[in-house]
Amino acid sequence: MSASRERILARVRAAVADAPEAPEPARDYLESHTSDDPDEILDLLHENLADYRAIVHRATEAELPALIAELLGTHSARSVVVPDGLPDAWLADTTAAQRTDDGPLTPYELDAIDAVVTGCALAIAETGTIVLDAGPGQGRRALTLVPDLHICVVRAPGQIVASVPQAMPRIDPTRPLTWISGPSATSDIELDRVEGVHGPRTLEVVLLGRV
């Protein structure tokens, strides 16, 4: 296999040996199609998250513990995964059994847990996308893919950007990135939508800041 690979690469190098240098890519595109007003960016994120069938809430820091407890209760979640670094106050009002990822939890153990609560690295308003990077309060990727309910808290305005070009400088490409645009969903050849196939069936997003 190694010899075949080297022969193919050698042929490619020979074919492009006399080719001119590729021009630098154009960078004169707009970085955003949205105003710089934080309130407008927040409203756009809310709209696009909902368009992807995420369920969106707004709350202040003081309201957050009660809201998370209410959401877990609404979905009859009796257990919840708590990623390392998640603020203790966020789950102060919940009666659901809290599991940490010590061990770590096996896929079978995760599958038996009803929900996960996380923060995020940032959110992108124009695409309605939440980015996780396994940082504090987020946990490893499996924590947000296996449980059926994901409650994600986004701090506004600090964790919200308008566009993908604005997001890229704030993302560390060496970290394990997960880009989430709504709950997991797929469609068959007849376009029948099925949710929860590749990840959580329900995505609840709390925009934390001014209400």
Side-chain angles (χ1 to χ4, degrees):
M1 292 293 291
S2 178
S4 297
R5 177 178 180 273
E6 290 304 320
R7 282 198 298 271
I8 293 170
L9 290 176
R11 291 172 183 171
V12 172
R13 294 187 190 102
V16 300
D18 298 325
E21 290 292 326
E24 288 293 318
R27 301 293 186 187
D28 55 351
Y29 49 78
L30 289 176
E31 287 195 355
S32 171
H33 299 275
T34 308
S35 79
D36 294 331
D37 185 338
D39 290 334
E40 288 188 27
I41 294 173
L42 179 62
D43 289 340
L44 180 62
L45 175 64
H46 188 147
E47 178 184 345
N48 286 332
L49 284 168
D51 192 49
Y52 274 119
R53 300 195 187 184
I55 305 167
V56 187
H57 313 267
R58 299 199 188 190
T60 64
E61 195 83 39
E63 296 168 334
L64 184 61
L67 176 58
I68 290 178
E70 178 185 343
L71 296 178
L72 291 171
T74 297
H75 293 282
S76 302
R78 294 171 296 178
S79 56
V80 57
V81 179
V82 183
D84 185 45
L86 193 80
D88 294 337
W90 289 10
L91 293 173
D93 290 356
T94 184
T95 58
Q98 299 180 29
R99 297 287 306 275
T100 58
D101 194 30
D102 297 332
L105 295 168
T106 68
Y108 296 102
E109 289 173 320
L110 280 174
D111 192 42
I113 298 174
D114 298 318
V116 60
V117 176
T118 75
C120 70
L122 56 82
I124 304 170
E126 289 181 355
T127 60
T129 302
I130 295 170
V131 182
L132 307 180
D133 67 358
Q138 300 170 56
R140 58 192 172 99
R141 181 176 290 135
L143 301 191
T144 56
L145 293 181
V146 180
D148 208 41
L149 168 64
H150 180 190
I151 300 174
C152 185
V153 179
V154 181
R155 293 186 180 276
Q159 290 186 316
I160 302 176
V161 296
S163 66
V164 172
Q166 291 179 356
M168 297 309 293
R170 295 180 54 173
I171 294 173
D172 182 352
T174 66
R175 296 191 64 80
L177 301 176
T178 304
W179 298 59
I180 301 170
S181 297
S184 169
T186 189
S187 297
D188 62 17
I189 197 170
E190 295 179 352
L191 300 183
D192 291 326
R193 180 182 173 98
V194 179
E195 296 180 352
V197 177
H198 310 296
R201 192 183 313 275
T202 304
L203 175 63
E204 300 264 8
V205 178
V206 181
L207 303 178
L208 190 63
R210 294 176 295 175
V211 178

